[in-house]
Amino acid sequence: MKGLMVSDQPVVPGFHPDPSVCRVGDDYYLVCSSFEYFPGIPLFHSRDLLHWTQIGNVLDRPEQLRLPADMPSSGGIYAPTLRHHDGRFWLIVTNCSEGGGNLLVSTADPAGPWSDPVWLPGVPGIDPDLAWDEDGTCWCTFAGVGQVAIDPYTGRTLGAERRLWSGAPGAKAPEAPHLYRIGEYWYLLIAEGGTERGHGVSIARGPGPSGPFEACPHNPVLTHRGTDHSVQNTGHGDLVQAADGSWWMVFLGVRPHGGTPGWHVMGRETFLAPVTWTDDGWPVVGEIVSPSDTGIAADATFRDDFDLPEFHPSWISLRDRSPEHCTTEERPGRMTLRARGTSLDEPDAVFIGRRQQHLACRADALIDATQGAGGLAVRLDEQHHYAIETDGTQVQVISRVGSVRATVATLPVPAGPAVLSVRITPPPRPHDARTGPDVITLGVEQPDGTFAVLAMLDGRYLSTEVAGGFTGRVIGLYAARGTVHADWFAYEPTVRARPTT
């Protein structure tokens, strides 16, 4: 593959964990976990494994995805597997919410629509995988690592569950299994060590899809544990063979910043590395790669003037997206949000946003809250978010960290709409061991066009190391009271990526 360089840059940046990939001809398709957000499972397309464009979301209808209003953050949709078999795309995933479980959807066209779910009550656990053998039997392997044959059309299990292989002795969390027929062997790839700093990928092989499996003598084949690499928590990999015969692995990782212990704020991201094979048939994972031009891509900036009735596929909402509470059709050229909870502290808050995808960036929105209150927020979960809110006459900055909610600053503004802004920048003392990962500045545009800063807040409190969970920051719009209209929303990175060698 031409135009590559060793890098620490993800190929799908921002909160895009648990990648699964498949190739059909010259086209590659990739999906990721989405947790408490609707629509679920972002779907990307590429022709080179390096440049990815989101073409939709797999679970984009209430009939496919129901997430209870009181479901905790980091619940919901976990770890999809995407495969192509017999002319059809198949996706299997776990809905970790009350009334959920493992489900399977399919389509002839990955851009959708995808089918209604086929539920798999006989498949336990999380992280289900799909693989078909030469006889046409569909094998579902899941975290643990166990396996059962299924009928993908009905969801019925066929035969008894069996245990396969659980990685290194004593290693915690054997999960994310993927099963492949490569040459004369069946390979079983798993993640182990937990999705934190000890994460890694190991592999075993056997004569059939159910083994018996022997472990690779070089396990783990991928891990950055105990290193000073700028990308950590590497794991949850999936293999794909390119059209030219080369092999590649997509996997998740995080980019911690700041002092000790290091904080990652955008969640787990999707990275790419080449794979070669030893003479005795074991994979060797190379260094992380990215396009040789690591400057800001033309499509990294985003602006939505809400002129179309359909939402851009990158917009995600909390747990559902009822037209009663979130629509672009009530007022042409406006997004209308109608409050349901009282603040972002509530699980049923009306919030719609986009994943933060750059370490330095800004987001701006023109908000009309003269019929209520709402604004622009950086959200990690109900207990960890910063927001700048207006009610049409006053702007205030709200900080929620753990059990503490505080109004940090207020400023009277002329009656009417206001341009609210969030700006995320590197820390002022990057080499101080106590420094957080970034600074989040919240402010408002003055009538003369100047920017009034209301607060500069430490970004560490909106990180996974502080908040816990499996997601990353999402920047977007919300309504806290009454009705709020947004005329436009814009997002852009503000620091050009630097190549690494």
Side-chain angles (χ1 to χ4, degrees):
M1 191 178 296
K2 296 180 179 179
L4 287 176
M5 65 176 300
V6 175
S7 175
D8 62 358
Q9 299 299 306
V11 290
V12 187
F15 155 42
H16 291 104
D18 309 327
S20 180
V21 64
C22 73
R23 177 178 66 88
V24 181
D26 293 326
D27 296 286
Y28 302 90
Y29 300 94
L30 182 142
V31 292
C32 300
S33 297
S34 51
F35 296 94
E36 71 261 35
Y37 291 96
F38 181 97
I41 310 180
L43 173 67
F44 297 86
H45 170 259
S46 176
R47 297 300 295 269
D48 62 4
L49 288 171
L50 295 168
H51 304 87
W52 294 91
T53 300
Q54 188 174 356
I55 61 174
N57 295 275
V58 174
L59 305 179
D60 60 2
R61 307 188 302 275
E63 297 83 4
Q64 297 171 306
L65 178 58
R66 296 192 182 278
L67 302 174
D70 60 351
M71 182 193 72
S73 289
S74 289
I77 295 299
Y78 282 30
T81 294
L82 176 67
R83 295 293 182 255
H84 186 264
H85 174 73
D86 199 21
R88 195 164 182 84
F89 291 86
W90 300 86
L91 184 139
I92 189 169
V93 71
T94 310
N95 183 345
C96 292
S97 65
E98 185 176 354
N102 288 301
L103 63 96
L104 190 152
V105 293
S106 65
T107 184
D109 181 356
W114 288 72
S115 69
D116 286 344
V118 173
W119 291 95
L120 305 163
V123 177
I126 61 172
D127 297 5
D129 174 69
L130 291 174
W132 284 262
D133 66 18
E134 293 87 346
D135 297 331
T137 301
C138 181
W139 296 97
C140 178
T141 311
F142 45 86
V145 173
Q147 183 188 78
V148 66
I150 65 169
D151 181 339
Y153 294 95
T154 67
R156 186 167 61 94
T157 55
L158 309 173
E161 174 189 334
R162 66 188 76 191
R163 309 307 294 179
L164 298 183
W165 177 69
S166 294
K172 73 173 185 178
E175 57 190 4
H178 290 308
L179 188 64
Y180 318 89
R181 174 65 186 266
I182 303 173
E184 62 181 300
Y185 294 108
W186 284 83
Y187 288 85
L188 177 59
L189 189 76
I190 72 166
E192 60 182 10
T195 195
E196 300 81 28
R197 295 294 192 266
H199 212 20
V201 175
S202 292
I203 196 166
R205 69 186 182 193
S210 299
F213 289 98
E214 61 166 325
C216 173
H218 316 299
N219 279 333
V221 293
L222 169 68
T223 189
H224 288 173
R225 65 178 71 134
T227 73
D228 61 0
H229 199 288
S230 58
V231 179
Q232 290 293 319
N233 303 31
T234 51
H236 205 114
D238 198 7
L239 293 168
V240 64
Q241 186 177 27
D244 64 3
S246 61
W247 283 88
W248 301 85
M249 180 184 287
V250 294
F251 56 93
L252 65 78
V254 306
R255 291 182 287 171
H257 285 81
T260 298
W263 293 272
H264 73 279
V265 300
M266 294 190 296
R268 299 166 298 164
E269 308 175 275
T270 290
F271 294 84
L272 177 72
V275 174
T276 56
W277 295 84
T278 64
D279 291 340
D280 55 351
W282 293 110
V284 176
V285 182
E287 295 294 326
I288 292 171
V289 295
S290 71
S292 56
D293 177 13
T294 58
I296 295 172
D299 61 353
T301 60
F302 174 84
R303 182 182 173 98
D304 198 334
D305 291 292
F306 309 119
D307 294 327
L308 300 175
E310 302 85 10
F311 288 100
H312 190 278
S314 61
W315 283 113
I316 51 177
S317 302
L318 280 175
R319 298 175 179 83
D320 67 9
R321 186 182 292 164
S322 165
E324 178 185 354
H325 297 100
C326 182
T327 180
T328 57
E329 299 189 64
E330 182 171 316
R331 286 191 182 184
R334 304 287 189 278
M335 179 187 288
T336 299
L337 302 177
R338 191 164 285 107
R340 183 171 51 191
T342 58
S343 73
L344 287 174
D345 301 358
E346 305 299 326
D348 63 346
V350 174
F351 171 86
I352 182 169
R354 299 181 80 253
R355 295 161 172 89
Q356 180 184 336
Q357 293 188 277
H358 301 86
L359 297 172
C361 61
R362 64 179 288 177
D364 305 271
L366 177 55
I367 303 293
D368 180 355
T370 53
Q371 297 175 306
L376 187 62
V378 184
R379 179 189 188 274
L380 197 60
D381 60 25
E382 282 77 23
Q383 295 186 335
H384 300 86
H385 50 262
Y386 297 151
I388 181 163
E389 181 175 301
T390 179
D391 62 4
T393 61
Q394 177 180 269
V395 171
Q396 61 179 345
V397 171
I398 300 167
S399 166
R400 174 67 193 263
V401 178
S403 61
V404 179
R405 174 185 171 90
T407 299
V408 178
T410 61
L411 179 71
V413 293
V419 176
L420 307 181
S421 182
V422 169
R423 303 180 181 186
I424 300 175
T425 55
R429 300 184 305 277
H431 303 297
D432 187 327
R434 300 161 297 172
T435 295
D438 54 14
V439 175
I440 301 177
T441 301
L442 302 101
V444 60
E445 186 177 290
Q446 299 279 55
D448 62 1
T450 59
F451 179 61
V453 174
L454 270 73
M456 299 177 69
L457 305 178
D458 191 330
R460 80 182 73 194
Y461 301 110
L462 305 190
S463 71
T464 300
E465 282 75 13
V466 170
F470 302 120
T471 63
R473 288 182 187 164
V474 178
I475 305 174
L477 310 164
Y478 73 98
R481 185 178 73 251
T483 301
V484 175
H485 303 284
D487 185 86
W488 52 263
F489 172 92
Y491 170 95
E492 63 175 332
T494 53
V495 175
R496 179 171 292 273
R498 293 186 176 92
T500 58
T501 56

